[in-house]
């Protein structure tokens, strides 16, 4: 295959791209990473601004805590439903097309959520939150885009750098929830719905940045580079969902990775989604809730470069073990906090650290474990499983808190770590 310099987007009609020259590859890696970092900041701002009050808004509109968990379920249902279609689109047209679509759907969903709050319709609100969750699909898919062109021994760091970039927007988001709510008070929009209006604008800006600047496409370029080295490796049948499922069946490491990202995300979402409700039961206001969620999100994203470096140096399985330990400690702290807001905040911070360790190490292991041509399909499968597990966890969380309380919720969430720990230990023993 003819190699061309890294200049314009060289995507061909058939969904391929020309391989870049070796000299141009480092510059392309830096450019792709810069664009992904910028959109992660914006996307993180939009997601966190809305997520901070999703459960509170659901409680206001529905009139009951028991349905509050449906808010988090809806926000993760969007990524779960979109993950495979998004992966199929990326397999055909590259990362740029998939990311733009996800951000646009996120903006549309945020607008529908505001409409549901204004008219007082809980079903409309849930439909909007499903679409709003599509913005999370873009931020999740971006971590794999960062790994497309990374050297194998630096994939953990490449993934973690993009995950880290979410810190800025994600930590800022919950803290601007209050001013975002006040900004719509004169428009007849409920205060708790204001952040979703702001999120819609942020998602539109993110879509524009990706559409204009993510060129050439990292996935198509990586595919072209692989095809130049391995004749026939990039045949269309090797990119299909069936090929992705076959790759997972043939790789024990891929299965460990899938369980890791699913369990880590389910534990995090189930505990985090009901923490604002638990805090309100102990007298916390919107500012304190925003602060606690900011601390949690700082744990999720700010230390991801540390997790990426550990995953590259110590190995993916070692960091998966670390994730199990951190998530277990987090459930213990938050579940026994009672009326102590400080202890809840500490638990949520450690919960974020555990999620970061699981996501970064699991994503890197998954990318390592499957052939390049099948990666988009397998990554889509991973996000589908991950968000489905989190959606079920969020749905159950609302019911559990309304029936038996926040403490038992944390204990049951910690039990989800057992399969993850068992598979990781089995992987270590197999390598020994």
């Amino acid at each position: 295959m003819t190699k061309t310099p890294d200049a314009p987007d060289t995507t061909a009609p058939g969904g391929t791209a020309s391989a870049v020259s070796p000299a141009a590859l480092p510059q392309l890696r830096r450019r792709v990473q810069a664009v992904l970092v910028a959109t992660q900041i914006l996307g993180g701002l939009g997601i966190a601004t809305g997520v901070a009050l999703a459960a509170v808004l659901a409680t206001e509109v529905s009139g009951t805590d028991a349905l509050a968990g449906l808010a988090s379920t809806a926000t993760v249902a969007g990524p779960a439903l979109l993950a495979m279609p998004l992966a199929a689109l990326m397999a055909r047209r590259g990362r740029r097309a998939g990311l733009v679509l996800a951000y646009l759907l996120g903006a549309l969903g945020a607008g529908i959520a505001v409409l549901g709050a204004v008219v007082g319709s809980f079903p409309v609100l849930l439909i909007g939150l499903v679409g709003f969750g599509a913005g999370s699909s873009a931020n999740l898919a971006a971590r794999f885009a960062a790994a497309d062109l990374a050297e194998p021994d630096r994939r953990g760091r490449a993934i973690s750098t993009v995950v880290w970039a979410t810190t800025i927007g994600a930590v800022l988001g919950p803290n601007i929830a209050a001013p975002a709510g006040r900004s719509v008070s004169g428009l007849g929009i409920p205060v708790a719905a204001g952040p979703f209006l702001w999120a819609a604008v942020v998602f539109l800006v993110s879509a524009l940045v990706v559409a204009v600047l993510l060129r050439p496409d990292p996935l198509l370029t990586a595919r072209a580079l692989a095809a130049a080295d391995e004749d026939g490796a990039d045949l269309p049948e090797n990119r299909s969902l069936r090929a992705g499922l076959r790759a997972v069946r043939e790789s024990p490491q891929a299965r460990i990775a899938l369980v890791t990202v699913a369990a880590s995300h389910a534990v995090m979402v189930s505990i985090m989604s009901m923490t604002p409700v638990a805090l309100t039961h102990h007298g916390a206001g919107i500012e304190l809730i925003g602060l606690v969620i900011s601390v949690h999100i700082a744990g999720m994203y700010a230390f991801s470069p540390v997790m990426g470096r550990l995953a590259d140096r110590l190995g993916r399985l070692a960091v998966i073990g670390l994730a199990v330990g951190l998530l277990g400690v987090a459930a213990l702290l938050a579940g026994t906090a009672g009326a102590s807001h400080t202890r809840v905040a500490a638990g949520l911070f450690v919960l974020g650290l555990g999620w970061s360790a699981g996501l970064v190490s699991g994503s890197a292991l998954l990318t390592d474990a499957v052939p390049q041509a099948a990666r988009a399909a397998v990554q889509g499968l991973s996000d589908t499983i991950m968000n489905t597990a989190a959606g079920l966890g969020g749905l159950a969380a609302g019911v559990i808190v309304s029936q038996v309380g926040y403490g038992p919720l944390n204990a049951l969430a910690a039990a989800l770590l057992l399969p993850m720990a068992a598979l990781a230990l089995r992987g270590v023993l197999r390598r020994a």
Side-chain angles (χ1 to χ4, degrees):
M1 180 174 290
T2 302
K3 293 187 178 183
T4 59
D6 174 27
D9 187 354
T10 54
T11 303
T16 60
S18 299
V20 300
S21 66
L25 193 53
Q27 180 185 357
L28 177 57
R29 288 191 184 112
R30 290 192 294 271
R31 183 194 309 167
V32 167
Q33 188 170 78
V35 174
L36 294 175
V37 164
T39 55
Q40 287 294 95
I41 293 172
L42 291 170
L45 176 64
I47 294 164
T49 302
V51 166
L53 291 180
V56 174
L57 182 60
T59 299
E60 289 182 2
V61 174
S62 68
T64 174
D65 288 348
L67 295 179
L70 284 175
S72 62
T73 298
T75 59
V76 296
L81 293 172
L82 186 61
M84 289 313 302
L86 197 64
L89 176 61
M90 288 181 178
R92 292 194 309 271
R93 303 301 304 169
R95 299 290 186 193
R96 187 172 65 254
L99 293 176
V100 168
L101 175 62
Y103 280 130
L104 290 177
L105 290 174
L108 176 63
I112 294 174
V114 173
L115 175 62
V118 170
V119 302
S121 172
F122 190 64
V124 173
L125 173 64
L126 290 183
I127 292 171
L129 291 176
V130 170
F132 170 77
S136 298
S137 295
N139 273 33
L140 288 172
R143 76 190 192 277
F144 290 125
D148 285 333
L149 296 172
E151 302 98 321
D153 63 347
R154 296 184 64 87
R155 281 182 184 140
R157 276 167 279 190
I159 292 170
S160 65
T161 297
V162 171
V163 173
W164 169 86
T166 312
T167 306
I168 300 172
V171 172
L172 181 62
N175 289 290
I176 66 172
R182 289 192 294 268
S183 71
V184 301
S185 59
L187 303 176
I189 298 174
V191 170
F196 291 94
L197 188 61
W198 284 32
V201 176
V202 170
F203 286 152
L204 289 174
V205 174
S206 299
L208 180 63
V209 171
V210 171
V212 173
L213 299 180
L214 194 62
R215 299 171 181 269
D217 189 280
L219 177 59
L220 300 183
T221 302
R223 186 177 294 160
L225 291 169
D229 293 332
E230 302 177 23
D231 291 339
D234 190 37
L235 295 174
E237 56 265 29
N238 292 334
R239 307 178 214 151
S240 66
L241 175 59
R242 181 176 297 179
L245 291 171
R246 183 172 61 249
V248 171
R249 285 197 304 268
E250 295 173 352
S251 173
Q253 299 296 302
R255 293 195 292 274
I256 294 173
L258 288 176
V259 171
T260 295
V261 295
S264 298
H265 201 51
V267 171
M268 186 276 290
V269 169
S270 60
I271 295 175
M272 181 274 293
S273 65
M274 295 309 297
T275 298
V277 175
L279 287 170
T280 60
H281 290 167
H282 292 288
I286 187 173
E287 287 81 5
L288 179 58
I289 291 172
L291 178 61
V292 170
I293 297 300
S294 291
V295 169
H296 166 64
I297 293 174
M300 289 175 65
Y301 299 116
F303 295 89
S304 58
V306 176
M307 304 304 177
R309 187 170 293 273
L310 290 174
D312 285 339
R313 289 191 173 183
L314 303 180
R316 319 310 192 198
L317 294 176
V319 180
I320 289 173
L322 175 63
V324 172
L326 289 170
L327 291 168
V329 169
L332 177 63
L333 286 172
T336 59
S340 173
H341 296 156
T342 300
R343 191 174 179 121
V344 170
L348 267 286
F349 175 72
V350 178
L351 182 70
L353 289 178
W355 175 88
S356 179
L359 185 76
V360 170
S361 58
S363 299
L365 181 61
L366 186 66
T367 303
D368 294 342
V370 298
Q372 201 285 329
R375 281 177 191 162
V378 173
Q379 290 160 354
L381 177 65
S382 171
D383 283 351
T384 297
I385 294 172
M386 177 178 72
N387 286 294
T388 299
L392 294 174
L395 178 61
V399 176
I400 292 169
V401 169
S402 67
Q403 296 299 316
V404 293
Y406 182 67
L409 167 66
N410 281 267
L412 291 171
L416 297 177
L417 299 172
L418 295 176
M420 175 177 160
L423 283 175
L425 180 59
R426 183 179 178 184
V428 171
L429 293 177
R430 183 180 291 140
R431 286 189 170 187

